[in-house]
Amino acid sequence: MPHITVQMYPGRSGELKKELAEALLEAASRTLAREKEHFSVSVEDVPQEEWKEKVYNKVLSDSNTVIQPGYKM
């Protein structure tokens, strides 16, 4: 049962977050050849001033990160 987590700066509407979640769900379902009901998606707002500590540093040190950020902080 894959779960997809998206972390981003606040400010996007609930409608846009739902659209993103549905697009990710569609791509994951197609790529993994599993029905959509096998997936869940969450979207977490992380304030910009907390981004480096809560997201960036963890992503860089996590061996499970498949694609590293293309930006520096």
Side-chain angles (χ1 to χ4, degrees), residues 2-17:
H3 177 75
I4 300 165
T5 302
V6 177
Q7 295 173 300
M8 66 172 106
Y9 289 167
R12 289 155 179 108
S13 69
E15 184 177 302
L16 187 59
K17 290 175 185 178

Side-chain angles (χ1 to χ4, degrees), residues 7 9 46-61 69 71-73:
Q7 295 173 300
Y9 289 167
V46 178
Q48 185 174 359
E49 61 274 7
E50 298 174 15
W51 187 263
K52 185 174 182 182
E53 178 187 344
K54 288 189 172 181
V55 179
Y56 185 78
N57 290 341
K58 289 181 180 182
V59 166
L60 290 180
S61 65
Y71 60 92
K72 303 280 185 208
M73 293 195 86

Side-chain angles (χ1 to χ4, degrees), residues 4-48:
I4 300 165
T5 302
V6 177
Q7 295 173 300
M8 66 172 106
Y9 289 167
R12 289 155 179 108
S13 69
E15 184 177 302
L16 187 59
K17 290 175 185 178
K18 184 170 173 58
E19 185 178 331
L20 173 61
E22 289 173 353
L24 292 169
L25 175 66
E26 180 67 38
S29 173
R30 183 178 59 253
T31 301
L32 298 176
R34 302 286 298 178
E35 297 299 321
K36 292 178 186 176
E37 58 266 11
H38 293 276
F39 296 86
S40 56
V41 180
S42 63
V43 178
E44 177 187 354
D45 287 336
V46 178
Q48 185 174 359

